[in-house]
Amino acid sequence: MKVLVPIKRVIDANVKVRVKADESGVELTNVKMAMNPFCEIAVEEAVRLKEAGTASEVIVVSAGITQSQETLRTGLAMGADRAILIQTDVALEPLAIAKLLKAVVDKEEPGLLLLGKQAIDGDNNQTAQMVSALLGWSQATFASKVAVDGDKLNVTREVDGGLENVNLNMPAVVSVDLRLNEPRYASLPNIMKAKKKPLETVTPEDLGVDVTPRVETVKVSEPPARQAGVKVASVAELVEKLKNEAKVI
Amino acid sequence: MSILVIAEHDNAALKPAVLNAVTAAVELAGHAGGDVHLLVAGENAGAVASEAAQIAGVAKVLHADGAEYGHGLAENLAPLVVKLASGYSHVIAAATSFGKNVLPRAAALLDVQPVSDISAVESADTFVRPIYAGNAMATVRSTDSVKLVTIRGTAFDAAAAEGGSAAVESTDSAGDTGLSRFLGQELTKSERPELTTAGIVISGGRGMQSGDNFAMLEKVADKLGAAIGASRAAVDAGFVPNDYQVGQTGKVVAPDLYLAIGISGAIQHLAGMKDSKVIVAINKDEEAPIFQVADYGLVADLFQAVPELEAALDG
Ligand SMILES: Cc1cc2nc3c(=O)[nH]c(=O)nc-3n(C[C@H](O)[C@H](O)[C@H](O)COP(=O)(O)OP(=O)(O)OC[C@H]3O[C@@H](n4cnc5c(N)ncnc54)[C@H](O)[C@@H]3O)c2cc1C
Ligand SMILES: Cc1cc2nc3c(=O)[nH]c(=O)nc-3n(C[C@H](O)[C@H](O)[C@H](O)COP(=O)(O)OP(=O)(O)OC[C@H]3O[C@@H](n4cnc5c(N)ncnc54)[C@H](O)[C@@H]3O)c2cc1C
C-alpha cells in the first residue's frame, strides 16, 4: 500500500507573527519557515507504517511556491521515499488544494492519505475533509491512534468530549492530531540521502485543476490588544480584587 | 433564502454551541434576509428536534432520522447537507470537533470554499476570522453562491433556549454511504460545567507536575463552579485527558474568569483564552509571558498559592 502525505510549508511555530502595515497580510520576508507541525506528525506516522511493513512506499506532496521543495526535502529526510511539488504562486485555498491532491491520488492510487488536522498559518482545518469528499473515501479527523486491520482502518479520534473510535473502509483519509506520535528529527546522513531522492515537479495546469480563489482576503489586521494588568502581592489581595474590583467571584 | 444551522447533539439533547450558532445565523439573516432553520439529523432524536423547536429565532426544524445519523459520521451527514443546501444562502455550524469534521466535507461536495471559525459577521458575504493562532485577524469575502461557515462559539452569545415555537418537519435521509462505522467512545465524565461555555475556567500547565496534583485545582473549581482546562504540555504529559486542552489546536474559551496555574503563556495557549474577560496567572517565574495578558498576576509557588486560594474562597 502506498501512503500519500500532503505537507505544507508555514511560518515556524516559534516565530512571532507580524501584520503588515498596509494590512495586506502578514510579514513573510526573512521569516523562518518550517514544515507545519501537524504535517510532521503525518510524515512520522507514514514512515512508521513503512517500517512496520504495512506501507510499501511513502510519497510526500506539497502545493505551493518553489521553496516548498525545502519542506519536501525535510519529509524525505524523515524517511519518505519520493516527493511531488505542485508548483504555483497562487495563494491556494483548501478547495483548490483538495482538487490538486485528488488529481495526484488518481494517478498514484495510494491506499491511505495522512494529513495534518490544521495548518498553523491559515488555521482552516479543512483540507483532509475536502479531499476525502472529492475522492468519495472515508475520513477520520483528529486522529490520536491509527491501526491498519486487514482492509479496514481503526482510528481513535480526539473529539470535544474525549475520544471516539471509528472503523474505516480503505482507501481512507486521516487527519492527525498532536498525540498521535512524536516526530523524529532527521539525522545528518538522512538529510544527505534525501538530496538524492526523486522530487518531481508538476503544475496545476498539468493536473487540469482550476485554482482560482473563491474567498477574497479583504484585509488582515492586528487583533485587539489586551491591557497589561497588575501584579498582586498575595492570595488575599487577589481574592479581594476578584471580588470587589473585577466582581467575577 | 434562509439560513441552515447544522445542529450537534447526542440524540438526547442539543450541544450548547448550537445556541451560539443560532445567534450567528440570526445575525446573518439580518444581512441576507430569510429565516433560520435547524437541521437535526439523528437516530431516535425526536426529543432533540422538539428541543430545537423551542430555541428563540428558529423558524423551522428539519428532522432526519435514521441509524446512519446515530453518531454524526461526516460521510453520511455531508450528502444530507448537500441535498438540502440548494434552498439556503448559508449553511453554518459551530466550530466544534463535530462542525469541523462535517462542514468542509459538505462544502467540497458542493464545490464551495468554506470559511472556518469566524469571530464576526460584517455582511452577508464578509466575515472576520482569526489566523496564525489569533495573532492576526483576516477579513474575508466569500464569492460562492452558497456560503458554508463555521462559527467560533465564544464570539457569539447563546440564543435563548426557550421562547421559540418552530414547526418540526421531517426530511428524508440521504442514505448510508457505508464508508465508516462508529465503534465506540470514551467520554470524559465530569460533573463540572462544560469547558467552552463555563463562566469560570481554571487551567493547569506543566508546572502542576502530575495528574494527581490537579486535585488541588478541582477543589478550587468546586468552590467556584468552574470547569478545568489545561495546556498542551499538561495533556501531552498525560496529567489530564485531551479534551482539557485549551489553545490554538485545542478548545477556545472566553469565560468571565480564567485562571492560568503553572502555565507559561505560549502563543498557542493564549490563542485559546485571551478573549477571557478577566485573566489571572499564578506562576513562579515573574518573566513568564502569561503575565503580559493577565489582569491579575501573582508571582508565587503554585503548591503554596493554590491551597491558599482554596482556603480564601471560604471567607
Ligand atoms: C494572510 C493570509 C491571506 C491569504 N489570502 C488568501 C487569498 O486571498 N486567497 C487564497 O486562496 N488563499 C489565501 N490564503 C491562504 C489560505 O488562507 C490558506 O493558508 C490555505 O487555504 C490553506 O489552508 P490551511 O493551510 O489552513 O489548510 P488546513 O486545512 O488547515 O491544512 C490541513 C492540512 O492540509 C494539508 N495541506 C494544506 N495546505 C497544503 C499544501 N499547500 N500542500 C500540501 N498539503 C497541504 C496539510 O497536510 C495540512 O496539515 C491566505 C493566507 C493567509 C495567512
Ligand atoms: C503546532 C502546535 C500546536 C500547539 N497547540 C497548543 C494548544 O492548543 N494549547 C497549548 O496550551 N499549547 C499548544 N502548543 C504548545 C505551546 O507551544 C507550549 O509548549 C505549551 O503551551 C506550554 O505549556 P505550559 O505553559 O504548561 O508549559 P511550560 O511552558 O513548560 O510552562 C510551565 C510554567 O509553569 C511554571 N511553574 C513551574 N513550576 C511552578 C510552580 N511550582 N509554581 C508556579 N509556577 C510554576 C513555570 O514558571 C512555567 O512558566 C502547541 C505547540 C505547537 C507547536
Side-chain angles (χ1 to χ4, degrees):
Chain A
M1 173 183 73
K2 285 191 203 174
V3 179
L4 189 77
V5 188
I7 60 179
K8 189 180 185 193
R9 177 177 181 267
V10 299
I11 292 191
D12 187 281
N14 300 309
V15 170
K16 171 95 182 81
V17 170
R18 299 201 189 283
V19 171
K20 284 191 195 166
D22 67 0
E23 298 201 323
S24 63
V26 306
E27 197 52 71
L28 291 174
T29 31
N30 296 325
V31 167
K32 183 167 178 236
M33 305 295 284
M35 189 190 302
N36 179 39
F38 288 96
C39 300
E40 291 181 61
I41 297 170
V43 174
E44 175 66 34
E45 196 65 16
V47 171
R48 288 188 192 184
L49 285 172
K50 184 164 178 213
E51 288 167 348
T54 313
S56 55
E57 189 183 29
V58 175
I59 308 164
V60 285
V61 50
S62 191
I65 56 175
T66 315
Q67 287 87 327
S68 298
Q69 282 186 11
E70 295 159 18
T71 313
L72 289 169
R73 291 285 173 207
T74 306
L76 294 170
M78 287 176 73
D81 298 295
R82 62 188 170 93
I84 302 170
L85 171 66
I86 308 168
Q87 191 170 17
T88 172
D89 292 336
V90 177
L92 297 171
E93 295 174 339
L95 178 63
I97 297 163
K99 289 177 182 175
L100 294 168
L101 294 175
K102 177 178 186 299
V104 172
V105 167
D106 288 344
K107 186 161 155 265
E108 298 284 348
E109 300 184 331
L112 177 63
L113 252 64
L114 288 169
L115 294 88
K117 83 160 174 182
Q118 110 192 37
I120 59 164
D121 51 358
D123 282 335
N124 277 308
N125 198 326
Q126 297 172 347
T127 308
Q129 298 87 312
M130 296 182 80
V131 69
S132 178
L134 297 182
L135 290 165
W137 290 6
S138 58
Q139 81 178 40
T141 46
F142 328 138
S144 64
K145 209 161 145 198
V146 176
V148 179
D149 179 14
D151 60 351
K152 303 272 184 188
L153 193 70
N154 287 323
V155 181
T156 301
R157 307 177 53 225
E158 292 198 354
V159 295
D160 289 341
L163 298 172
E164 180 182 291
N165 298 310
V166 288
N167 178 264
L168 307 183
N169 289 359
M170 302 267 271
V173 177
V174 172
S175 87
V176 305
D177 217 320
L178 295 168
R179 257 71 61 179
L180 182 61
N181 61 45
E182 249 188 74
R184 69 193 68 189
Y185 289 102
S187 66
L188 196 58
N190 285 340
I191 293 172
M192 300 312 290
K193 258 197 265 172
K195 293 189 175 149
K196 300 207 183 69
K197 289 185 181 175
L199 191 157
E200 176 195 352
T201 301
V202 296
T203 64
E205 294 72 45
D206 295 340
L207 298 171
V209 174
D210 175 6
V211 295
T212 313
R214 308 290 187 79
V215 173
E216 173 202 339
T217 302
V218 178
K219 66 170 183 186
V220 174
S221 45
E222 294 279 357
R226 269 194 95 89
Q227 295 292 328
V230 295
K231 290 254 169 67
V232 292
S234 67
V235 168
E237 186 186 348
L238 174 65
V239 171
E240 188 275 321
K241 286 241 179 343
L242 291 178
K243 277 188 177 150
N244 303 320
E245 193 175 88
K247 299 189 169 61
V248 283
I249 61 171
Chain B
M1 282 215 263
S2 295
I3 292 159
L4 183 65
V5 179
I6 310 172
E8 177 181 2
H9 60 87
D10 59 6
N11 296 312
L14 289 167
K15 297 287 173 193
V18 175
L19 298 175
N20 308 85
V22 167
T23 298
V26 169
E27 210 179 303
L28 276 169
H31 293 283
D35 291 331
V36 174
H37 297 177
L38 220 63
L39 171 64
V40 174
E43 183 179 13
N44 301 321
V48 180
S50 311
E51 184 190 351
Q54 308 291 311
I55 301 174
V58 175
K60 184 157 86 179
V61 174
L62 297 173
H63 179 205
D65 216 276
E68 60 275 28
Y69 302 127
H71 301 287
L73 292 174
E75 294 91 329
N76 292 342
L77 279 167
L80 178 65
V81 173
V82 170
K83 201 165 68 116
L84 298 169
S86 60
Y88 293 94
S89 61
H90 300 73
V91 177
I92 75 169
T96 57
S97 58
F98 167 85
K100 291 175 189 168
N101 190 39
V102 173
L103 193 114
R105 188 172 179 104
L109 296 175
L110 289 162
D111 194 30
V112 165
Q113 171 55 47
V115 181
S116 290
D117 206 17
I118 66 162
S119 57
V121 172
E122 300 256 289
S123 72
D125 62 4
T126 306
F127 316 104
V128 180
R129 58 180 301 268
I131 54 174
Y132 290 97
N135 284 305
M137 306 299 288
T139 304
V140 298
R141 196 171 68 82
S142 163
T143 59
D144 283 308
S145 56
V146 44
K147 291 156 186 50
L148 274 77
V149 179
T150 58
I151 69 112
R152 177 169 282 210
T154 54
F156 298 90
D157 292 336
E162 278 167 32
S165 57
V168 178
E169 207 173 88
S170 58
T171 185
D172 288 340
S173 164
D176 188 346
T177 60
L179 287 171
S180 68
R181 265 186 324 124
F182 171 85
L183 296 178
Q185 56 193 6
E186 299 147 45
L187 299 186
T188 306
K189 287 194 187 63
S190 169
E191 302 296 308
R192 291 179 213 291
E194 205 262 320
L195 184 55
T196 56
T197 49
I200 302 181
V201 172
I202 177 163
S203 288
R206 201 195 311 264
M208 296 301 297
Q209 289 179 13
S210 76
D212 291 343
N213 288 336
F214 267 75
M216 295 191 314
L217 302 189
E218 283 166 21
K219 286 185 194 153
V220 176
D222 285 342
K223 293 200 172 153
L224 292 172
I228 296 188
S231 71
R232 173 189 171 183
V235 176
D236 283 2
F239 300 171
V240 288
N242 62 279
D243 50 296
Y244 282 41
Q245 183 179 319
V246 171
Q248 177 188 18
T249 60
K251 286 180 181 159
V252 177
V253 303
D256 292 334
L257 173 61
Y258 187 89
L259 300 116
I261 315 292
I263 291 178
S264 61
I267 51 171
Q268 292 88 358
H269 187 78
L270 302 185
M273 44 65 80
K274 69 178 178 185
D275 292 329
S276 304
K277 211 168 122 213
V278 175
I279 296 174
V280 169
I282 301 181
N283 196 304
K284 66 176 181 190
D285 173 11
E286 64 176 321
E287 302 290 318
I290 190 76
F291 288 123
Q292 290 163 22
V293 300
D295 299 282
Y296 302 108
L298 177 63
V299 180
D301 186 332
L302 70 91
F303 293 100
Q304 205 179 329
V306 174
E308 258 188 66
L309 174 62
E310 188 218 328
L313 291 172
D314 286 332

